[in-house]
Structures are given as structure tokens and as C-alpha cells.
Amino acid sequence: MDERRRQILQEIKHQCQEYNSNEFEYYFEIWGLNWYPWQLEVSPEQTIQLSINDLLTEDLQYLEDAGEIFLVKKYEPHEVANETEFGRKRYRINNNKTTP
């Protein structure tokens, strides 16, 4: 795992611990042409802030493939309240695995 993804994982774990949770949701919003801000949430009221400002779906897929996180739910478009949200997924941190 490269340093950037290790940092993403550590920051997600740390912030989820602060909110006493082992799950988070990821989604991105389309605000305009080629502008796709991402969000991580423990709950709608608790947004996770990372020092990395270019989190990609591929980063989370890498962490999932590595066994660091598990996909819990992939939301269907009709399950999302805001029509500007896309790709909403719920993940669970694998607390049984330690990152070297």
C-alpha cells in the first residue's frame, strides 16, 4: 500500500473512532462541469474531513480489495435523497486487520 492510501486509511479510522463508529459512507456530488467533490460521512450530521483533497472511488476500491474495509451497502438512485449525490456506498472498517 502506498503512503497516500495508508494516510487515507489511518485518517478514516481515526475520525471514525472519534465518532465511536466503524462505518462510514462515501459519495460524490456533481456541482458543475468536471467538478465532483466527494464526501465521507459517519452520519448526515458528522462529516469526516481528510487532509487528502482528491479521494477517488478507486482509493476505496483498493482498500476494499486489500481487506481494510468492507462494502456494506451500495445505494440505489431512488434511495438517495439529494439528486446531486452519486455513487453512495456504506463501508465498514475491518478492525481485525492491522496496517503495517
Side-chain angles (χ1 to χ4, degrees):
M1 179 180 313
D2 63 33
E3 187 57 37
R4 182 178 163 282
R5 288 182 171 150
R6 186 181 326 278
Q7 181 179 351
I8 289 169
L9 178 61
Q10 291 306 321
E11 289 183 23
I12 289 172
K13 285 182 174 182
H14 176 74
Q15 292 205 33
C16 282
Q17 280 181 334
E18 286 185 9
Y19 291 120
N20 199 26
S21 177
N22 67 343
E23 292 188 358
F24 64 94
E25 293 191 2
Y26 165 84
Y27 64 93
F28 60 93
E29 296 179 323
I30 298 178
W31 291 355
L33 186 61
N34 295 326
W35 192 25
Y36 308 106
W38 55 269
Q39 299 289 327
L40 289 177
E41 296 177 343
V42 175
S43 74
E45 298 82 33
Q46 299 170 325
T47 301
I48 298 174
Q49 300 295 320
L50 301 180
S51 62
I52 302 294
N53 61 4
D54 62 343
L55 182 66
L56 305 172
T57 304
E58 290 81 11
D59 294 323
L60 296 175
Q61 184 63 54
Y62 176 89
L63 295 174
E64 184 181 352
D65 292 344
E68 298 290 349
I69 60 176
F70 300 109
L71 179 64
V72 175
K73 179 174 177 65
K74 182 178 180 179
Y75 291 87
E76 297 297 325
H78 70 277
E79 295 178 292
V80 179
N82 189 337
E83 63 190 37
T84 61
E85 291 180 15
F86 296 91
R88 185 177 275 269
K89 296 178 182 177
R90 175 170 283 277
Y91 291 96
R92 180 176 298 130
I93 297 169
N94 182 359
N95 289 323
N96 297 325
K97 186 166 182 170
T98 57
T99 304

